[in-house]
Amino acid sequence: MVKKYAFIGMESQGIFLKGSIPAQQALNLTEEPLPFRYTDTSKARVNCALLVVQIDALKTWNIPLLKWSYPEAVWLLELDYGYLAVAAQTPLKMVPALSFMDKYNTSIGQIEIANHDINAETSVHTNKARFSVVSHSPQPSEAKLISTLWTRSSRGKYYRIPWGDNTPQSTFLVDVAVKESALAEQVFGCQVMWHKQGIAFENRVHECAPAYKDHPMNGVGQ
């Protein structure tokens, strides 16, 4: 029996930040209108996000010898019924896998994910730019993360990634302050207005499968 999720592991640590960019820039990134989630009824700005996560002991097709541990950063636009990944960073060894299996528009990045102590810093940087954020004052929360995920490849093709909507063992609402934003501006092509609070989490079961061709306009009813 073929299992729904080919890849199963543990997201031992992660942080999910939300913000917004001008609607025109979101359109520039997708090159076609999509069902964007706007910040308000004026539709002047579209919600965006960044997920930075450490994935440990990721089993591939449940083969014990094929296990991976690695961090990844995924840059997202929010849609009415999920998120669209427009870019990602991960260490060199995982770039082929994320590009081929997940169809992310992937580049090499060095990633450090903070714990939830006071003034903890999470950073993502490439050889051209860096993003860093300090989080503090964690408070237990039931805030939701990603439940449905599409991606746009480096060739501009759309895919959907089967994604396990699992609840972390621990979720926190944290105050955040962005220290360096050059990488975010490089990815989104503009300045991002980041929210002053984010979501930190620990020990979320990671389940996904190879991406398949699917357009976000098709919605979630498939």
Side-chain angles (χ1 to χ4, degrees):
M1 179 178 179
V2 177
K3 292 188 176 181
K4 179 179 180 182
Y5 298 110
F7 312 114
I8 301 175
M10 179 65 69
E11 296 176 5
S12 58
Q13 212 162 6
I15 188 166
F16 188 54
L17 306 175
K18 292 187 178 183
S20 68
I21 62 173
Q24 181 58 53
Q25 187 55 28
L27 183 59
N28 292 344
L29 288 166
T30 60
E31 298 183 325
E32 60 180 291
L34 296 180
F36 298 122
R37 179 67 60 88
Y38 297 96
T39 58
D40 56 41
T41 56
S42 71
K43 295 187 176 183
R45 299 186 68 84
V46 169
N47 293 337
C48 64
L50 168 63
L51 173 67
V52 187
V53 65
Q54 172 65 38
I55 300 175
D56 291 322
L58 185 73
K59 290 183 180 180
T60 304
W61 287 289
N62 209 30
I63 301 174
L65 294 178
L66 294 179
K67 285 187 179 181
W68 308 91
S69 292
Y70 62 95
E72 66 181 31
V74 185
W75 305 84
L76 307 140
L77 296 175
E78 188 174 7
L79 306 177
D80 282 341
Y81 34 68
Y83 285 88
L84 170 69
V86 296
Q89 283 90 38
T90 195
L92 175 61
K93 69 175 183 178
M94 294 303 299
V95 169
L98 267 63
S99 300
F100 180 71
M101 292 294 187
D102 296 319
K103 303 300 182 184
Y104 288 139
N105 178 12
T106 317
S107 59
I108 300 169
Q110 295 183 8
I111 300 167
E112 296 180 2
I113 305 174
N115 57 26
H116 308 311
D117 295 333
I118 296 174
N119 295 329
E121 183 173 348
T122 296
S123 66
V124 183
H125 61 96
T126 67
N127 60 357
K128 294 182 179 179
R130 178 182 173 93
F131 178 89
S132 66
V133 60
V134 172
S135 58
H136 60 90
S137 305
Q139 298 292 329
S141 173
E142 295 182 358
K144 300 298 182 182
L145 300 169
I146 297 170
S147 60
T148 308
L149 182 62
W150 281 266
T151 184
R152 189 171 189 265
S153 72
S154 60
R155 296 184 178 183
K157 303 296 184 181
Y158 287 98
Y159 299 83
R160 185 170 172 185
I161 302 175
W163 191 262
D165 184 16
N166 298 311
T167 301
Q169 184 181 80
S170 303
T171 307
F172 309 91
L173 196 64
V174 291
D175 294 335
V176 296
V178 174
K179 292 178 60 180
E180 299 178 74
S181 61
L183 182 55
E185 293 163 8
Q186 182 183 92
V187 170
F188 289 117
C190 63
Q191 186 174 6
V192 180
M193 292 180 59
W194 293 104
H195 295 180
K196 293 182 179 180
Q197 289 188 311
I199 303 168
F201 59 95
E202 297 175 341
N203 298 329
R204 191 190 86 92
V205 174
H206 180 90
E207 296 176 318
C208 67
Y212 61 90
K213 287 185 178 180
D214 188 32
H215 197 283
M217 291 298 289
N218 292 338
V220 298
Q222 295 189 13

